[in-house]
Amino acid sequence: MASQNCSLWRHRTLVSPLQIILSALAPLLMLAILGCSDDATVVQKIQVQRQARLQTETKQDHLGEVHSLLTRLIELNQDESRRQITYHLNRWLDSVPMSESDSQPKLLKTISDLLPAERVDEIVLGDRFLRSDVSHLRDAYLFGAIAKWVDAPQSDDPLLTTWLAEQEEKLGADQTNQLRSACRFFDWTIRNVALEPFVSPPALQITPPELPLGMIFQGAGYRQTDYESVWRGTGDSLQRAGVFTQLCRQAGITAAMLAIQSTETGELIPWAVGVLVGENVYLFEPALGVFIPGPDQIGIATLAQARSDAAVMRRLNIPGFYDYPFSKQDVQQNIALLNVLPVGISSRMQHLESRLAGDRRMTVYTDVDQVAEQLDAAAGIAGVRIWEVPVLAEVYHAALEQAAQRDPLLGFWYFSRWAIMDADVESSRLFSLARWRHLHGQFDNDDEANVKGARPLYLSQRKPEFEIADLRIDVDLQKAYGIRRELGMAPEVYDRQVQQAQAMIRLGKQTATYWLSLIQYDDGRYDTAETWFRKRVLEDSQLSHWTPAARYSLGRTIEHLDKVDQAVELYKHTGDIQEHGNRIRARLLQKSESD
């Protein structure tokens, strides 16, 4: 806190005790100098101006400033913007103080081994906003922004349209709308977070750093935060679950990771996301990339149906290819894991959320005890806990950054993997801005607001191959991409720099092309999307790590163009990481065509 209070910008705006004393003495000193002449009116004028300025500072819309900074966060200096947001939050808190509370949620004890008591006092019970709180607010703002534009009819899964319409008679409009929104969020997550394996070792021969809390290098779930997963557009099934549940929370929908507890070791094994709508828990499987089909492969299965009808779980098998690891017997009792961070259950976030209205409204607080009570009442839920994965992800991120500073090879791998999207690097700012606009659903230019959309910004990153190849000999291009040949630098070292830059530019081009294809889909331009996926992403000369995800997205695209047979063939492609779930979708498509 001391470092925050000493920042230069805050020093300019806060009124210190010394300033108060000087303010009181200034008129007396000036009167002593000027006497009781007409110059006394000058002193009075100064006093009036000073009081007006202090009143203006008091009345400043600090929450408005916070919201404005969050909307432009990717365009600003990250350290400075965090300082400013923290400052405005605490100035707002000074004017609207929160009631004292030393109580903590009961559910917090479920992660007591990950959160020491002193951290609880600071993060959960603390009565001042911390600079680390800004990441939580950024996440809430961004996932809220995504949820707003994704929750629209063009995001509906064609396999569920008829079934959802039929649910209105059974569930009523409100519950059906909640379920429909959850389906849209899940569908968007699967198409926009390309599936990775649980453990993802780096290509380089890196010595794994020592990590706290028994974590392993590049381990499942915690190797990325939810923000990093949605920002990079990749993640394992646990990270997909994180993104999905974040979107649900911003729409006021209760969703939790369901886990089976091993009777031998007590280990929790996550398997599906459960979405609570009314009294039913609907099942979505992030590793397969499909909702779990209901009885007779119609609609979405509830947990109650999976517990009572063995065919629900059995139909997740693909005879001759895959056996689903869990059966009806395995899913009788589940632990619901809530995707929340300790800061998200703090009193200050509860206080802040109660004052957010209109465009500023977002979910920054979760009453975990209340949510636990609701979930616990559902059949098949044997307990509710705070999920350890998001907490571990925060610890992992901090530990890996420190290790990367000490180990040059680890540091090169860590900082270069996503350098194309590093907003603090000049050459990557346009790319990061394009991604920010993409996640806001701002695809095209807004000429009135003078705002460039994601589509033209991504297009600017698609450098022609001749330009990339010429980087080695074109000095002007080398300067443009930040390559410098220092005096005395060995030729082989300089050549390596050029080759690394060329690899990064090609990676940026491939990523921009893939994300442009996704935009065409989300914009409802299915003919254009098909062309982009086929000819610009999946062409042999352009194959990249996006290929399996692009093949799935092409299948989803041509479903809308009534090319069901072609989509089925794409889903049956051998070797894709999501092949198991893709084949289930192919089977559901064929069934819908025959009905």
Side-chain angles (χ1 to χ4, degrees), residues 315-349:
R315 286 200 177 102
L316 295 180
N317 298 327
I318 305 293
F321 290 92
Y322 297 99
D323 290 326
Y324 195 68
F326 307 114
S327 65
K328 168 192 166 184
Q329 189 61 36
D330 296 319
V331 302
Q332 291 302 306
Q333 298 298 322
N334 296 266
I335 304 298
L337 305 174
L338 301 184
N339 180 20
V340 293
L341 287 168
V343 63
I345 61 178
S346 65
S347 298
R348 63 186 178 280
M349 288 300 166

Side-chain angles (χ1 to χ4, degrees), residues 284-523:
F284 298 82
E285 224 287 12
L288 299 179
V290 295
F291 53 85
I292 294 182
D296 298 322
Q297 301 185 86
I298 297 173
I300 304 173
T302 63
L303 182 56
Q305 290 169 336
R307 297 171 71 234
S308 62
D309 185 348
V312 169
M313 300 301 293
R314 190 168 58 244
R315 286 200 177 102
L316 295 180
N317 298 327
I318 305 293
F321 290 92
Y322 297 99
D323 290 326
Y324 195 68
F326 307 114
S327 65
K328 168 192 166 184
Q329 189 61 36
D330 296 319
V331 302
Q332 291 302 306
Q333 298 298 322
N334 296 266
I335 304 298
L337 305 174
L338 301 184
N339 180 20
V340 293
L341 287 168
V343 63
I345 61 178
S346 65
S347 298
R348 63 186 178 280
M349 288 300 166
Q350 183 181 23
H351 183 58
L352 173 62
E353 184 173 312
S354 69
R355 298 300 194 277
L356 297 175
D359 292 340
R360 302 172 189 175
R361 187 182 299 278
M362 57 184 176
T363 301
V364 299
Y365 169 76
T366 301
D367 186 339
V368 288
D369 290 341
Q370 183 183 49
V371 172
E373 187 177 340
Q374 294 169 350
L375 283 166
D376 235 347
I381 303 295
V384 183
R385 301 181 186 180
I386 293 176
W387 196 14
E388 67 174 16
V389 164
V391 182
L392 291 175
E394 298 285 315
V395 178
Y396 181 90
H397 179 85
L400 200 59
E401 275 206 339
Q402 292 178 5
Q405 299 288 349
R406 297 189 298 268
D407 183 337
L409 187 59
L410 176 65
F412 170 77
W413 169 82
Y414 179 74
F415 292 110
S416 66
R417 289 178 307 151
W418 294 98
I420 58 169
M421 298 173 63
D422 187 346
D424 288 333
V425 178
E426 183 65 36
S427 60
S428 302
R429 283 179 184 167
L430 278 182
F431 206 120
S432 59
L433 182 60
R435 184 60 173 164
W436 187 254
R437 298 276 161 78
H438 182 175
L439 295 175
H440 281 71
Q442 298 171 342
F443 299 155
D444 297 307
N445 292 341
D446 184 341
D447 294 330
E448 289 187 9
N450 194 29
V451 172
K452 282 193 173 183
R455 203 175 339 243
L457 286 170
Y458 280 147
L459 284 170
S460 71
Q461 300 301 304
R462 298 187 71 250
K463 306 298 182 185
E465 185 57 36
F466 72 83
E467 183 175 307
I468 301 174
D470 284 350
L471 189 62
R472 182 178 295 277
I473 58 174
D474 192 322
V475 176
D476 292 333
L477 275 177
Q478 292 168 4
K479 290 179 180 178
Y481 290 117
I483 301 171
R484 294 182 180 179
R485 184 166 189 172
E486 303 292 345
L487 189 63
M489 179 182 289
E492 60 272 16
V493 174
Y494 181 66
D495 284 344
R496 260 199 315 272
Q497 279 191 359
V498 172
Q499 291 167 8
Q500 289 165 3
Q502 288 173 323
M504 292 303 296
I505 296 167
R506 288 192 177 99
L507 175 60
K509 180 178 181 179
Q510 291 166 345
T511 302
T513 304
Y514 173 63
W515 285 343
L516 272 166
S517 305
L518 290 177
I519 283 180
Q520 309 293 9
Y521 180 102
D522 279 322
D523 217 13

